[in-house]
Amino acid sequence: MFNIPVILLKNLVILPNQEIKLELNNVISGKAINDASSNFKSEILVVAPMDLLEEEPSVDDLPKVGVIAKIKNKIDNDGVIEIKLRGLKRVAVNKYYQEKNNEVLYSEVMYIDLPALVEDEENAILKKLVDTLKKYINISKGISNDILNFVSNNKDLNKITDAITSFLPFNIGKKLEYMQEINPIKRAKALIKDMNEEIKGIEIDNELEEKIDESLQNDQRKFILKEKMKVLKQELGEDSWKKEEVIEYRKVLDKLKIDKKIKDHFSHEIDKYEIMSDDALEVSVMHNYLDWVLHLPWNKTRKENANFDEVYKELNKSHFGMDEIKTRISEYVAIKNLNRNIQSPIICLVGPPGVGKTTIAMSIARALNRDFYKISVGGLNDSTELVGSRRTYLASAPGKIIQGLNKCGSNNPLILIDEVDKMVKDYKGDPASTLLEILDPNQNKIFTDNYIEEPFDLSGVLFILTANNVSDIPKPILDRVELIELHSYTVFEKKDIAKNYMLPNILLDNMVYDNKIKFSDELLYFLINNYTDEAGVRDLERILSSLARKITINNVKILNEERVVKLLGNPKYTSNLVMEEENGVVNTLAVSNSGGTLSKIEVVTCKGNDKLTITGNAGNILKESISVVLTMLKLKYKYSFHNEDIHVHFLDASSKKDGPSAGLALSVALCSLKENKKVPNDVAFTGEVSLNGSILKIGGLKEKLIAAYNKNIKVVYMPKSNSEDLENVPKLILDNMEVIPVSNFNEVYTKLFK
């Protein structure tokens, strides 16, 4: 597994052993090329988005297979970079990511081992492939036969299939499919099929050419294209294709039970389409519009599951815990049985990555018997993405809401709007305000997409939103939704999820049938504590899947901790705190978009000129907190820092730290240094300190206590004003960890240093 920068080529696919020349004027692509040249041996991952129509693809639109390419030449010509790339090898992409303050996209990849091939099968398929290629080249006009020289001098089916794919005039989508196919046998079979289809098409085209040549005079050759179409229609019996289309449109419109004004509008559009010339530029625009508006699910409502117990049971099958969201959905079903006109709830699931926000939404759709559609709004800054663009614009289309309804084929699906806390407001518009209109039950009954131009009733849609951080959700949306928090999991909860929900499917998918293979509770704890460090269970699922594959491939019969280390490599994490106890070193608890975290603060002093140094990627709020702590200790405890330099360091400098909850830990660290007394390694602190020593209320207590529990912390000091929040903390944690509420720093000082 290794990391490498990524370059996106929307209209080009590179294959192994293929060379291409490019001119790049995109700033981010230029930075990626320069980074690859300087730091990655001139190698870069080349990928194309899965959705070729997406203007700004997200990482979810990027393929899980790409090609590592070598930068052979690079010339920077006034901001335009000219490069030559040579494809090297396919790799599997584990994840895409961006480093903070860096626009370049990176990936974590691993080389793909080719499947073992049966020699007889390989030789037979190679012979068939070469014969088909020769036939294709012979019948095609303007196709060079240079590829035959390469094929004749090479016996590697993997290289041959890639060479033929790069040589043939396939579209981008087709080449992307071939790039992602790892098995050369499957690629060869697909090439044979595609070339045979091309051969048949060319033969039919040649027959049409002969018929046209017989009917045309020399002075009519400028109309060759029209005559081709005429002969083609005659062959297919489609002389009056537009007339037939208009008849079909009217049939569909007659069946629609919609408002008379809307029906009259669509009827008028059909009339306009009917009298248009076949050659008019607006024909295709009108054709697309009528296809959209007439095939929307205006009247198609999917019957919802109304059984309260069945819904709750179905949700319990797929997800552990999450009682609040399960109860809320069940309540909705129960109340709807009594009041059919009840409005659907607008729920926002908030929690760190990997806790199951998206999958529980999918399970809710399945339990309610609704269609499911996901819209990702992370990074969205253009409102037209949601409400479409007007027909008068080039390449206009409906927005994501209408696209989702059309794809679902019903007017009451469950639509998941993902990452609402990552929307962007700029000169292109404010998508949050647009989304508010879509969600508002008082407005969405007459939701009008710019492209459709007529109101569509969204009141039957069940909207579920997701976010990582409550504070980043736009205030108007936060005011409109029901907030349900999905918190981090304890190691015990992760074990139960792995054992009861993940492993049965993972073992089945990876053909692990041996009854001797046992995943004991102790082995699962070992995997969780030593190979994962997350709030959710996404990494745990990857680790279990990787282990299952290795069990099958290596024919493992007995599984224990020693065998796991051999299969997965040395542990990446440890649940124990490895640093020795030292004066001025304490544990502090924090919370981020990824859940609760435990980190260490180190404080040292030395002779100097009253200089304060802060390192470890600390933010402004944290720096101010340090100043408050120093003043408080000078006033209340008469500590002198005169002629001393103070250095405060926050470990794990790779992640930015900020927020008003480290004051208590900083105070303890400085007292530990001054009193020459170590603070135990299994004690942690959270809380902000005022100038008079008061311990102030903080947020994210539950996430912090879960993180402390998972890291084997035994004692946590917290603000007394947060005592009510302990009701939401799992009883298991409170039973196994001493939580000490304090209202003033003197209480902590007395316990630890007197």
Side-chain angles (χ1 to χ4, degrees):
M1 193 84 71
F2 59 95
N3 299 328
I4 191 167
V6 180
I7 185 172
L8 302 182
L9 300 180
K10 285 192 68 175
N11 298 311
L12 189 62
V13 174
I14 190 171
L15 295 160
N17 303 303
Q18 180 185 4
E19 283 194 359
I20 59 172
K21 291 182 179 179
L22 294 173
E23 286 188 357
L24 303 173
N25 56 10
N26 181 284
V27 176
I28 297 176
S29 297
K31 288 181 180 179
I33 292 294
N34 291 333
D35 191 15
S37 301
S38 303
N39 304 315
F40 294 87
K41 301 179 182 178
S42 293
E43 292 183 354
I44 193 165
L45 179 68
V46 182
V47 296
M50 300 293 291
D51 187 351
L52 300 175
L53 298 177
E54 183 65 46
E55 288 296 323
E56 296 179 4
S58 67
V59 293
D60 295 330
D61 295 321
L62 301 182
K64 294 302 182 184
V65 175
V67 173
I68 297 289
K70 186 81 171 179
I71 303 171
K72 306 289 287 184
N73 291 318
K74 183 184 74 165
I75 301 173
D76 193 343
N77 187 9
D78 292 332
V80 177
I81 299 178
E82 300 178 6
I83 59 170
K84 180 191 282 187
L85 296 176
R86 178 174 180 81
L88 298 180
K89 192 171 183 181
R90 286 178 177 82
V91 291
V93 182
N94 183 34
K95 68 176 181 179
Y96 295 93
Y97 65 94
Q98 280 183 297
E99 297 178 347
K100 294 193 174 178
N101 301 321
N102 191 345
E103 297 176 296
V104 175
L105 183 65
Y106 293 89
S107 61
E108 184 180 274
V109 302
M110 62 185 294
Y111 285 117
I112 299 172
D113 294 326
L114 294 176
L117 304 180
V118 179
E119 186 176 355
D120 290 342
E121 182 184 8
E122 184 180 7
N123 291 336
I125 200 76
L126 180 58
K127 182 178 183 304
K128 179 69 174 175
L129 179 62
V130 173
D131 290 342
T132 308
L133 177 63
K134 288 178 180 178
K135 186 177 179 182
Y136 175 81
I137 290 174
N138 289 335
I139 198 170
S140 301
K141 294 179 181 178
I143 298 291
S144 169
N145 61 359
D146 291 346
I147 186 66
L148 287 175
N149 295 328
F150 176 85
V151 172
S152 302
N153 297 322
N154 201 315
K155 299 299 180 185
D156 187 338
L157 185 62
N158 184 49
K159 291 182 178 179
I160 288 173
T161 52
D162 282 337
I164 293 175
T165 303
S166 63
F167 176 80
L168 295 180
F170 290 142
N171 60 39
I172 299 299
K174 179 66 72 175
K175 288 200 175 186
L176 188 57
E177 291 177 14
Y178 278 106
M179 185 277 290
Q180 293 184 92
E181 179 52 65
I182 297 167
N183 192 319
I185 291 288
K186 292 183 179 179
R187 286 203 301 272
K189 290 179 178 178
L191 281 170
I192 293 170
K193 177 178 176 292
D194 287 339
M195 283 193 290
N196 279 327
E197 288 179 357
E198 287 289 323
I199 290 168
K200 289 178 183 177
I202 293 169
E203 289 174 347
I204 293 172
D205 197 49
N206 289 340
E207 290 178 11
L208 290 174
E209 290 280 0
E210 292 176 7
K211 292 180 181 180
I212 292 167
D213 286 339
E214 291 174 1
S215 64
L216 293 177
Q217 301 297 324
N218 289 335
D219 59 348
Q220 294 176 314
R221 291 193 179 274
K222 63 181 177 179
F223 302 111
I224 185 72
L225 185 57
K226 289 184 180 180
E227 290 298 322
K228 273 189 175 184
M229 292 301 296
K230 186 187 294 183
V231 173
L232 184 60
K233 291 172 190 175
Q234 289 173 351
E235 291 292 320
L236 298 175
E238 296 180 356
D239 289 322
S240 55
W241 61 275
K242 203 168 94 172
K243 183 179 178 182
E244 294 292 330
E245 216 171 37
V246 168
I247 294 172
E248 184 61 31
Y249 283 153
R250 294 199 187 283
K251 285 181 181 178
V252 174
L253 182 61
D254 287 340
K255 292 178 183 178
L256 288 181
K257 296 178 181 178
I258 55 179
D259 186 85
K260 185 178 183 302
K261 286 177 68 176
I262 300 176
K263 186 173 278 194
D264 289 344
H265 173 209
F266 293 160
S267 179
H268 180 61
E269 295 294 327
I270 295 173
D271 292 340
K272 285 164 60 178
Y273 179 61
E274 185 176 21
I275 62 175
M276 279 183 180
S277 168
D278 290 0
D279 301 324
L281 295 175
E282 296 85 356
V283 165
S284 61
V285 175
M286 185 64 77
H287 171 80
N288 290 338
Y289 176 73
L290 291 172
D291 270 352
W292 270 107
V293 299
L294 295 177
H295 293 97
L296 282 177
W298 299 93
N299 315 124
K300 296 178 182 176
T301 302
R302 190 164 177 177
K303 187 177 180 182
E304 189 174 72
N305 185 0
N307 189 306
F308 173 97
D309 293 327
E310 280 185 13
V311 169
Y312 199 87
K313 216 175 278 184
E314 180 64 31
L315 294 177
N316 274 332
K317 277 184 191 175
S318 57
H319 285 78
F320 173 87
M322 301 187 182
D323 294 329
E324 189 174 355
I325 179 63
K326 292 176 182 177
T327 302
R328 180 63 185 91
I329 295 300
S330 301
E331 287 173 350
Y332 161 71
V333 173
I335 298 298
K336 194 167 185 180
N337 286 334
L338 303 173
N339 179 10
R340 302 304 300 173
N341 298 319
I342 187 177
Q343 293 177 346
S344 300
I346 305 169
I347 296 169
C348 183
L349 303 176
V350 181
V355 296
K357 297 186 294 295
T358 300
T359 54
I360 188 65
M362 295 170 68
S363 294
I364 290 170
R366 187 167 55 250
L368 295 177
N369 193 38
R370 289 186 182 229
D371 295 298
F372 176 83
Y373 189 75
K374 177 184 174 183
I375 298 173
S376 180
V377 294
L380 183 69
N381 64 347
D382 190 351
S383 300
T384 59
E385 290 283 326
L386 295 172
V387 294
S389 52
R390 300 200 176 279
R391 275 193 286 161
T392 51
Y393 298 148
L394 186 65
S396 58
K400 292 181 181 291
I401 299 295
I402 289 295
Q403 290 179 29
L405 292 167
N406 183 63
K407 198 163 188 177
C408 291
S410 62
N411 59 14
N412 65 331
L414 186 154
I415 294 183
L416 176 69
I417 301 179
D418 198 26
E419 297 184 321
V420 293
D421 55 333
K422 295 183 177 65
M423 288 189 292
V424 179
K425 178 181 179 181
D426 62 12
Y427 69 95
K428 290 184 179 179
D430 182 9
S433 62
T434 303
L435 182 58
L436 188 63
E437 294 177 13
I438 294 169
L439 298 175
D440 191 339
N442 297 318
Q443 299 182 60
N444 64 17
K445 291 180 181 179
I446 51 170
F447 168 72
T448 304
D449 184 277
N450 290 331
Y451 182 84
I452 303 301
E453 299 176 347
E454 293 293 348
F456 191 100
D457 187 358
L458 297 181
S459 60
V461 177
L462 175 58
F463 289 103
I464 293 184
L465 287 60
T466 72
N468 294 138
N469 196 334
V470 175
S471 60
D472 292 333
I473 300 173
K475 290 289 189 294
I477 292 179
L478 190 60
D479 183 56
R480 185 68 61 190
V481 301
E482 295 182 34
L483 212 60
I484 295 180
E485 295 193 44
L486 303 182
H487 295 284
S488 305
Y489 295 117
T490 66
V491 289
F492 298 102
E493 289 172 328
K494 290 179 182 179
K495 183 266 294 181
D496 288 336
I497 292 170
K499 192 170 188 177
N500 300 317
Y501 295 89
M502 290 181 180
L503 275 174
N505 293 327
I506 289 173
L507 297 179
L508 185 63
D509 291 343
N510 292 280
M511 315 295 285
V512 181
Y513 298 128
D514 198 322
N515 291 328
K516 293 181 181 179
I517 299 295
K518 300 293 183 185
F519 281 81
S520 65
D521 290 354
E522 290 73 19
L523 187 61
L524 288 173
Y525 288 136
F526 177 76
L527 287 166
I528 293 165
N529 291 327
N530 293 277
Y531 290 91
T532 68
D533 186 20
E534 57 176 342
V537 290
R538 195 172 290 159
D539 276 348
L540 178 58
E541 185 173 20
R542 293 192 189 105
I543 288 295
L544 291 173
S545 296
S546 174
L547 185 58
R549 291 193 298 271
K550 295 180 188 302
I551 289 172
T552 300
I553 293 170
N554 295 283
N555 197 24
V556 174
K557 297 298 182 184
I558 299 175
L559 198 62
N560 51 35
E561 292 182 9
E562 183 180 352
R563 188 62 172 160
V564 166
V565 173
K566 287 182 179 179
L567 293 173
L568 296 179
N570 291 326
K572 298 179 181 179
Y573 310 99
T574 176
S575 60
N576 299 314
L577 300 171
V578 295
M579 288 187 64
E580 295 182 3
E581 292 178 0
E582 302 243 352
N583 293 337
V585 179
V586 300
N587 298 312
T588 185
L589 297 169
V591 67
S592 67
N593 290 348
S594 301
T597 59
L598 175 78
S599 60
K600 283 188 176 290
I601 298 176
E602 292 180 295
V603 180
V604 296
T605 59
C606 56
K607 287 184 179 180
N609 301 309
D610 298 344
K611 179 183 176 184
L612 175 62
T613 302
I614 304 167
T615 55
N617 204 355
N620 291 329
I621 298 175
L622 208 48
K623 292 175 182 177
E624 290 182 357
S625 182
I626 295 171
S627 299
V628 171
V629 166
L630 288 171
T631 302
M632 185 271 294
L633 292 176
K634 290 175 185 177
L635 291 174
K636 294 287 184 181
Y637 299 92
K638 308 305 179 185
Y639 286 148
S640 173
F641 299 98
H642 185 56
N643 293 330
E644 288 183 343
D645 287 345
I646 303 173
H647 191 149
V648 179
H649 179 62
F650 297 87
L651 270 69
D652 184 20
S654 61
S655 58
K656 185 172 177 64
K657 302 161 195 72
D658 207 2
S661 64
L664 178 57
L666 286 164
S667 303
V668 173
L670 283 163
C671 289
S672 168
L673 197 65
K674 285 293 184 180
E675 300 291 341
N676 194 26
K677 189 172 182 180
K678 298 173 183 176
V679 177
N681 235 345
D682 58 359
V683 179
F685 306 86
T686 181
E688 187 61 355
V689 176
S690 71
L691 288 170
N692 65 10
S694 296
I695 309 296
L696 307 179
K697 190 173 184 178
I698 47 89
L701 180 66
K702 180 178 179 180
E703 300 290 341
K704 292 175 181 178
L705 292 182
I706 290 175
Y709 177 78
N710 287 342
K711 292 294 184 180
N712 289 337
I713 294 294
K714 302 301 181 187
V715 180
V716 173
Y717 287 84
M718 54 156 277
K720 195 169 187 176
S721 51
N722 281 98
S723 296
E724 292 181 358
D725 297 337
L726 292 174
E727 297 176 3
N728 300 321
V729 178
K731 186 174 183 297
L732 175 70
I733 292 178
L734 299 178
D735 289 344
N736 289 275
M737 185 166 64
E738 184 182 3
V739 179
I740 304 176
V742 290
S743 57
N744 192 281
F745 179 68
N746 195 53
E747 299 173 46
V748 182
Y749 183 85
T750 303
K751 279 181 175 287
L752 295 177
F753 303 112
K754 280 193 175 181

